[in-house]
Amino acid sequence: MSSFEHFLHKHTLSFIQEGYQIFICVGCKKPISGPFYSCPHCIFYLHYECARLELQIQHFFHPCPLFLILDSDTCNACFMEVSGFSYCCFTCYFTMHVECALKPTISSESDEGLIQHFTHWHPLSLIDLNIFYDKPCCAICEKPCSTNSTYGCSSCNFFLHNSCKATIPRSINHSFHPCALNLLTYPNYTCNGCNRDCSGLTYSCGKCRFKLDIRCGLLPTVETRGADMIQNIMHPHPLARLGNKDVDNTRFGVGHRCRACGENDLDHSFSCSISCDFFIHTSCAELPKDIHHPFHLEHPLSLTYLPLQLHGADCSSCNKPLDGFLLAYRCDWCNFNLHKDCAEFKPSFKYGNYLHALTLCDKRPSLFHCTVCHKRVNKIFLRCFVCGIDIHVFCLPSAPKTITHKCHIDCLSLTQSPLEFELNRLEDADNSDDEFYCDVCEEKREKKDSVYYCADCKFIAEVGCVISELVPSYNTPEEQNGVTSRAISKDEDDSAIETRLAELNNEIIELSAKSKPLIQEREPLNIEIMLLNEKHLQLQGRLQEIETELWQIIRITDNLEVKHFLCKHQPKHRITEDMFSTEASTSGGLSLSAEQARHMEDESKVQNS
């Protein structure tokens, strides 16, 4: 205990038994008294109790772990300044005094009626409202507390309805923000929903610095029928329901229209409760935020306001200019835009050997040409937005050659234009100055576009005026193997994915069931293979033993062959050890050996003769 390593200081601290009032503890900022720790290199002093504080704690007032730090901030519990040690959550930027964090808590309701609730750091008790001249308001719903079933903290002027206390969620998922929001308290913040400056309870995402006050966080959505105040993904502020008397008021008169469809009729609609010029029909407020559309398969489209610099852009479907006042579906990655109406259901038709989702367009593009006849497409045509091909309505192979239409009593036949009777001379067929008109709409038509014609009456109808008779003859989505071009929401897309996953799981189960007999048939073979492998190992061991024995036998055989040869070919003279004795070192011994040698030579000569 004479030395101590503290995680907030780089030097080793020395223990001193008695403190001095002139020293100030860096942890609690109070004079040192009693035992303490001191740094011999720095002006760093800690009470013994401050030095032994836990590095990490879990507190009921905050869902995340709190870590001990040395910093200056504002306590999120008592809203007082913090100097010295404090417990902090680095994710939520939430700070508590050491004294606030270490106060005793109540695990359950006590005999005095005290409870501990995550909305307030002090224990809450039942409040007698008779002692108040003005009824206090609930910190959650902001309505007066009128019943005796009210809990509160009188010292902090914090009160809760019993029903609000029981139903308020500690964490929510909100359409305004992708992360989960936790209920916390902050001394000062600006609500990202209504832009109000607030204090106290807030639903917060500390990582993104996003905060919503209680009212914006708990407002119902448009799906909640009969709500007077709702929240919607199309506008950050709360939306208030408009009554008929509000619609008739001059404040909501000419010039105000729905931000989704552009209609001026604002009956059954909502408006911004702050001061924004934002109105939306109840039905339009139910539009999905994100959709997957067949016109743009690469990315989902998000419902949004277009940036000011893109207000002059065109819809990628109908090529009409986008109204910057209205909402549109947009892909920022590809600069792809769709009107709300263009994003709704559209008929699709089959063309060619593979499927093209052809959509009717009624606006002439500047430089588009028909894929079939290679002539410029005019007014009304079919387009595959995925592949970028354009086709005249009358060039589609399934287009009827003869139709009946309510505009004329006789049948109309598809005919090349211009007709001979319309020309003064055949040479004028290519004269661009001539004007030709449709007998249905009595408006100027394109001279070289085919028309539906009655030869008896010389009645001419351009394709766009009789399109209602052409559409039923085209291949409909039901004839295209279930392919459709309507906008698909995320929920529908997720449902389709889940269905496909379920089908794949069923296929896996079927394949597993089919493979079980095969696996069962393989098991005896696997066992037999395993036994054969073991026998093979045993035989290899026996082979090594036999090879060792054979080598020993070969050595013995070699020795026996040598002995047999020596026995069979013995020398005729016998050499004794005396012949190789080294002890005969005298001259007499040497002369004797020489004499013996001469005697042996003489005997050899006699035998040879």
Side-chain angles (χ1 to χ4, degrees), residues 425-442:
R425 294 180 306 170
L426 293 178
E427 293 80 3
D428 295 335
D430 296 329
N431 190 348
S432 59
D433 295 333
D434 293 341
E435 293 183 356
F436 301 89
Y437 291 85
C438 170
D439 292 329
V440 179
C441 63
E442 298 182 352

Side-chain angles (χ1 to χ4, degrees), residues 465-482:
C465 291
V466 293
I467 192 66
S468 59
E469 292 298 326
L470 304 183
V471 170
S473 65
Y474 297 149
N475 294 325
T476 58
E478 288 76 14
E479 298 172 338
Q480 302 173 15
N481 301 323

Side-chain angles (χ1 to χ4, degrees), residues 525-540:
L525 295 176
N526 291 334
I527 294 174
E528 187 175 354
I529 292 173
M530 183 177 65
L531 295 175
L532 291 175
N533 288 332
E534 292 179 356
K535 190 173 182 179
H536 176 67
L537 294 175
Q538 293 175 358
L539 292 175
Q540 282 184 336

Side-chain angles (χ1 to χ4, degrees), residues 349-352 358 382 391-403 414 452 469-476 479:
F349 312 104
K350 187 175 181 180
Y351 174 73
L358 300 180
L382 296 167
I391 304 174
H392 285 122
V393 174
F394 48 81
C395 287
L396 199 67
S398 57
K401 306 305 179 184
T402 303
I403 64 169
L414 185 62
Y452 280 90
E469 292 298 326
L470 304 183
V471 170
S473 65
Y474 297 149
N475 294 325
T476 58
E479 298 172 338

Side-chain angles (χ1 to χ4, degrees), residues 36 74 111 113 179 210 215 230 243 253 274 323 337 346 431 467 472 500 551-552 589-590:
F36 69 101
T74 302
D111 296 336
C179 306
F210 181 90
R215 186 179 68 167
I230 66 167
I274 310 300
D323 189 343
N337 307 302
K346 288 286 184 179
N431 190 348
I467 192 66
R500 180 57 181 160
W551 181 76
Q552 293 177 353
L590 291 173

